[in-house]
Amino acid sequence: MSKTVLVLGAGIGGIVAAETLRRRLPRTDRVIVIDQAEQHFFPPSLLWLMVGERSVGNITRPLDRLAARGVEFVHATVKRIDPVRREVELDGGATLRGDALIIALGAEYAPDTIPGLSEAGHCIYTLAGATAIHESLAQFSGGRIVVLTATPQYKCPAAPYEAAMLVDAFCRNKGVRGQTRIDLYAAEAGPMLTAGPAISAAMRGMVEQRDIAYHPEHQIKTADTQARRLAFANGAEAAFDLLFYVPPHKAPSVVKEANLVNESGWIPVDRNTLQTQYENVFAIGDVTTIPLKMGRPLPKAGVLAHGQAEVVAHNLACAWTGKGTPRRFGGEGSCFIEIGDGRAAMGSGNFFAEPLPQMNMRQPSRIWHIGKVLYEKFWWSIVIFTVNFH
């Protein structure tokens, strides 16, 4: 008998899971992806969009192109999840049931939980925000730019630090860096702390070498749009002309209403198989929480969602076809760290190592920047057709 997999969410994890399943399963089995967006965009390219090195058209593709790969796409919002029956209800009233359910709904952004934040600045993690950042930088002639993380834990831990360095390079190339102050206010105690103290120190060093003032442990409390002023929980204040922020994150309400989350507010899973407490119900990527021995959760990052998706899809195919050997997600990951001017560093290692993650940082070079460009091309070539870059 044929089987059906429902993949909820068409981000990096959801796309990789669907593509891998489609290659491994018989054509009589159905792979259905459900997402409220009509377009897929590649999140790592948002940083380049911010500084004008990509356009929206470069980094987006219609999700209905998945049909050409044999993956069914349903454009809808998931309104209810029944993990026992592996059933989902969509906003149009339709109900779908699967033999397996892969929840890849990601993290939602909640800037409105901080008074004034969404009105005062632009979000680094959205297409609209990255586009607005580029437009504001194009008109910028000098002043104070603030890059801000609103909470200590957020997805893509390197991104705000990369953003600050790319803004520095943009302003230098534009000839306004001498008239510009760049401040990075972080709610966390240091950059990328889950990767260990050496990586954290290296990242901070790269930021401060570019005359970017770094202010750790500054928890934003309010943003005043009219006065262009930020207030922090520790009593500090800061002025800004441009504000680029990483917003607070939360799990989608639909997974909370399905009682899939724990006290962390995210879905707990087996760290090696990504299975939830329910049979044949898996969760991958940013919507999950996986505690580490060091006391922090596994970072939310696209490369980790990619690896998790491959493991889940491979193991489902093994179970249903009887072919192959099951795999385990081992916590390995890597990250290109853009610093501007066509150069990048590379961090890689194992987050599941104990007592601390074992990570290495390779020094910035053009090679690692080219590596990220090639990965971007690879992504589009295997996922939703090829794309031309300028």
Side-chain angles (χ1 to χ4, degrees):
M1 294 180 62
S2 64
K3 292 183 177 294
T4 298
V5 184
L6 302 181
V7 181
L8 312 186
I12 289 177
I15 291 288
V16 170
E19 292 275 348
T20 306
L21 284 163
R22 186 66 286 161
R23 291 195 303 270
R24 294 290 311 277
L25 293 177
R27 288 292 163 180
T28 51
D29 291 342
R30 300 175 70 191
V31 179
I32 304 174
V33 174
I34 305 165
D35 199 284
Q36 62 184 354
E38 293 184 276
Q39 299 271 335
H40 169 80
F41 75 90
F42 188 52
S45 299
L46 286 175
L47 291 165
W48 289 332
L49 179 61
M50 282 174 40
V51 292
E53 295 177 13
R54 295 290 184 274
S55 67
V56 172
N58 289 148
I59 67 172
T60 59
R61 285 296 179 272
L63 281 163
D64 58 14
R65 291 190 180 183
L66 287 169
R69 300 292 181 91
V71 175
E72 300 176 50
F73 173 63
V74 177
H75 177 221
T77 300
V78 177
K79 304 299 290 184
R80 182 181 63 85
I81 300 172
D82 184 337
V84 176
R85 295 167 58 86
R86 296 185 291 272
E87 183 178 270
V88 298
E89 180 182 328
L90 308 180
D91 54 353
T95 299
L96 297 175
R97 185 180 300 176
D99 298 282
L101 192 62
I102 301 175
I103 302 171
L105 290 169
E108 292 184 350
Y109 304 135
D112 293 341
T113 59
I114 297 175
L117 182 63
S118 59
E119 296 81 12
H122 305 302
C123 177
I124 294 171
Y125 286 168
T126 65
L127 280 171
T131 300
I133 288 171
H134 178 237
E135 292 172 351
S136 64
L137 286 173
Q139 300 173 12
F140 185 68
S141 59
R144 188 167 183 176
I145 299 175
V146 169
V147 179
L148 172 78
T149 67
T151 57
Q153 294 179 0
Y154 47 87
K155 72 179 193 177
C156 306
Y161 298 90
E162 293 178 274
M165 290 187 284
L166 288 171
V167 167
D168 160 68
F170 182 94
C171 290
R172 279 190 286 104
N173 293 330
K174 190 179 179 182
V176 298
R177 186 65 175 95
Q179 297 80 49
T180 301
R181 173 174 175 139
I182 303 175
D183 288 87
L184 203 166
Y185 287 89
E188 61 270 25
M192 299 174 66
L193 288 172
T194 307
I199 299 294
S200 183
M203 177 67 87
R204 179 167 181 167
M206 286 191 291
V207 167
E208 292 182 332
Q209 286 169 11
R210 286 157 179 76
D211 196 27
I212 298 168
Y214 182 57
H215 311 274
E217 298 184 295
H218 277 64
Q219 177 67 62
I220 184 66
K221 188 170 64 174
T222 61
D224 188 327
T225 306
Q226 296 299 319
R228 293 188 176 181
R229 200 156 190 86
L230 306 172
F232 298 91
N234 61 7
E237 294 189 352
F240 66 91
D241 294 298
L242 295 178
L243 173 63
F244 310 144
Y245 65 83
V246 174
H249 296 6
K250 64 178 182 179
S253 58
V254 68
V255 300
K256 297 178 181 179
E257 292 162 2
N259 294 317
L260 283 160
V261 305
N262 63 9
E263 64 280 359
S264 73
W266 305 95
I267 302 177
V269 293
D270 181 289
R271 74 182 203 167
N272 297 125
T273 67
L274 289 307
Q275 182 158 314
T276 68
Q277 61 182 307
Y278 300 97
E279 183 180 3
N280 280 336
V281 178
F282 304 87
I284 58 176
D286 298 340
V287 77
T288 67
T289 181
I290 299 177
L292 302 178
K293 185 73 170 180
M294 69 179 303
R296 297 177 182 274
L298 183 72
K300 299 180 186 300
V303 66
L304 298 175
H306 189 141
Q308 292 168 355
E310 288 183 332
V311 167
V312 169
H314 173 87
N315 290 347
L316 268 177
C318 286
W320 289 357
T321 66
K323 299 177 182 177
T325 303
R327 298 177 183 172
R328 292 162 62 88
F329 176 67
E332 297 88 1
S334 59
C335 176
F336 296 106
I337 301 169
E338 289 287 310
I339 68 169
D341 298 320
R343 299 170 69 232
M346 162 65 86
S348 62
N350 190 330
F351 286 101
F352 286 176
E354 297 181 356
L356 294 173
Q358 298 297 311
M359 309 297 292
N360 297 305
M361 176 78 85
R362 293 172 176 84
Q363 291 300 309
S365 73
R366 294 194 179 278
I367 291 174
W368 300 121
H369 171 74
I370 292 169
K372 181 173 177 179
V373 172
L374 291 175
Y375 177 62
E376 181 188 49
K377 290 178 180 289
F378 164 79
W379 176 256
W380 289 118
S381 69
I382 67 165
V383 177
I384 315 178
F385 304 156
T386 57
V387 57
N388 293 319
F389 297 98
H390 61 74

